[in-house]
Amino acid sequence: MRGLILPLIAGLVVAGAFGLWLGLRAVLPGETAIIDAQAARYVAETGGQPTDCAARPAAIPGVRLIVTCRGDWAVAVDNWGREVTLPDLGPNT
């Protein structure tokens, strides 16, 4: 009986750790984390300040936020904070 309990406990610990790892990966980043990441990208690309950036929710399917910095730099991001390429709608839209 002893030879069965130790491997069973080890298996349960490994399964629990794996489940926890998968669960943490499934948690979406918060809006603050997304804005901070895009602000850091803006600073690296332009030398501006992170406080130049703000975000607003998007009404576009597949886009969570639109982060803008100083009005001349903008990026649309999905639920995971990845950049989303939007089609060019032209100057009259």
Side-chain angles (χ1 to χ4, degrees):
M1 186 76 166
R2 271 192 176 153
L4 183 63
I5 299 240
L6 220 45
L8 180 62
I9 290 173
L12 289 173
V13 168
V14 169
F18 184 67
L20 180 64
W21 177 71
L22 284 177
L24 291 176
R25 287 185 44 143
V27 175
L28 294 174
E31 291 178 350
T32 301
I34 292 173
I35 296 167
D36 288 345
Q38 294 304 322
R41 180 176 157 205
Y42 167 75
V43 169
E45 290 178 4
T46 67
Q49 297 296 316
T51 54
D52 296 340
C53 300
R56 61 182 170 82
I60 304 165
V63 178
R64 180 175 179 184
L65 294 171
I66 297 178
V67 181
T68 57
C69 302
R70 285 274 182 189
D72 60 347
W73 190 93
V75 63
V77 294
D78 66 6
N79 286 334
W80 295 98
R82 299 174 297 210
E83 184 175 356
V84 176
T85 303
L86 299 176
D88 185 13
L89 301 176
N92 296 326
T93 55

